[in-house]
Amino acid sequence: QVQLQESGPGLVEPSQTLSLTCTVSGGSISRNEFYWTWIRQLPGGGLEWIAYIHYRGTIYYNPSLRTRVTISVDTSKNEFYLKLSSATAADTAVYYCTRFYHDLSGASNWFDPWGQGALVTVSS
Amino acid sequence: DIVMTQSPLSLPVIPGEPASISCRSSQSLLYKNGYTLLNWYFQKPGQSPQLLIYSVSNRASGVPDRFSGSGSGTDFTLKISRVEAADVGIYFCMHAIQIPITFGQGTRLEIK
């Protein structure tokens, strides 16, 4: 059973870069039907999709965050990463990594499973 | 961006009674291949969201048949036939028909 685990600093200073790692266990990250995803949950409870990446390198970003976000993958480590530059207090959130399944026929897609989440606070 | 609007935002329910949550999208979620890409997620207090329903009406693995999804185009509904204490939490709808993927604001279900 695939499991995902976020890791990284829980406190980031304003204007610095927020960096997180997602470690995938129980299955290979190098599967054609999956995109590896970052989603955050803001303090008010809303969910915001940030970006996802295919192991072959195809990337999709949320346009609202595109200029500050970098997502990458390391298949040898079965990990993928998030970097969010120029962090502000508005980036304070619980950051989740999750797997996006994309049925090749286009019949369905979904996020499952999710990591437990990493709370990142942007503050001096 | 497609805006997903849920109602109600708060839903107090007596155990054993049914519950219904509405999700409306600002444009049709009918994909070019004829499928409708609308999912529902459930987040228990203190936990990560978990997949509940995919492609409008398909229950995810392990989801009890008390849960059902329906709808088409821009108008969707999640129904719980008989609410139990374990159903307390937040329910989100989500589309994945285009970038960016967006979620509804969430509906908080509580036991009355």
Side-chain angles (χ1 to χ4, degrees), chain B residues 19-40:
Chain B
S20 179
I21 300 171
S22 169
C23 175
R24 292 198 167 121
S25 56
S26 59
Q27 63 189 71
S28 175
L29 301 187
L30 179 64
Y31 195 45
K32 53 189 176 183
N33 59 6
Y35 294 99
T36 300
L37 302 178
L38 181 283
N39 299 341
W40 291 94

Side-chain angles (χ1 to χ4, degrees), chain B residues 33-84:
Chain B
N33 59 6
Y35 294 99
T36 300
L37 302 178
L38 181 283
N39 299 341
W40 291 94
Y41 293 84
F42 170 51
Q43 185 174 31
K44 293 183 182 180
Q47 295 189 17
S48 312
Q50 58 192 78
L51 179 65
L52 196 62
I53 300 279
Y54 64 93
S55 299
V56 180
S57 59
N58 298 277
R59 283 187 298 277
S61 176
V63 175
D65 59 9
R66 301 184 291 107
F67 291 88
S68 63
S70 63
S72 62
T74 62
D75 207 342
F76 304 92
T77 302
L78 174 69
K79 291 184 178 178
I80 309 173
S81 59
R82 297 174 306 281
V83 168
E84 298 181 0

Side-chain angles (χ1 to χ4, degrees), chain A residues 24-44:
Chain A
V24 179
S25 59
S28 173
I29 209 169
S30 303
R31 291 280 300 271
N32 225 20
E33 65 269 40
F34 298 127
Y35 282 78
W36 302 94
T37 306
W38 290 99
I39 290 171
R40 67 183 181 180
Q41 188 162 32
L42 301 168

Side-chain angles (χ1 to χ4, degrees), chain A residues 40-89:
Chain A
R40 67 183 181 180
Q41 188 162 32
L42 301 168
L47 293 167
E48 182 175 35
W49 171 76
I50 299 171
Y52 53 44
I53 186 169
H54 191 264
Y55 82 96
R56 290 179 174 170
T58 302
I59 295 171
Y60 294 91
Y61 290 109
N62 189 324
S64 69
L65 296 167
R66 173 63 186 96
T67 59
R68 298 194 295 129
V69 172
T70 303
I71 190 171
S72 58
V73 64
D74 187 333
T75 56
S76 67
K77 294 183 177 179
N78 233 35
E79 294 179 340
F80 63 105
Y81 312 96
L82 174 70
K83 290 189 184 299
L84 179 62
S85 63
S86 305
T88 71

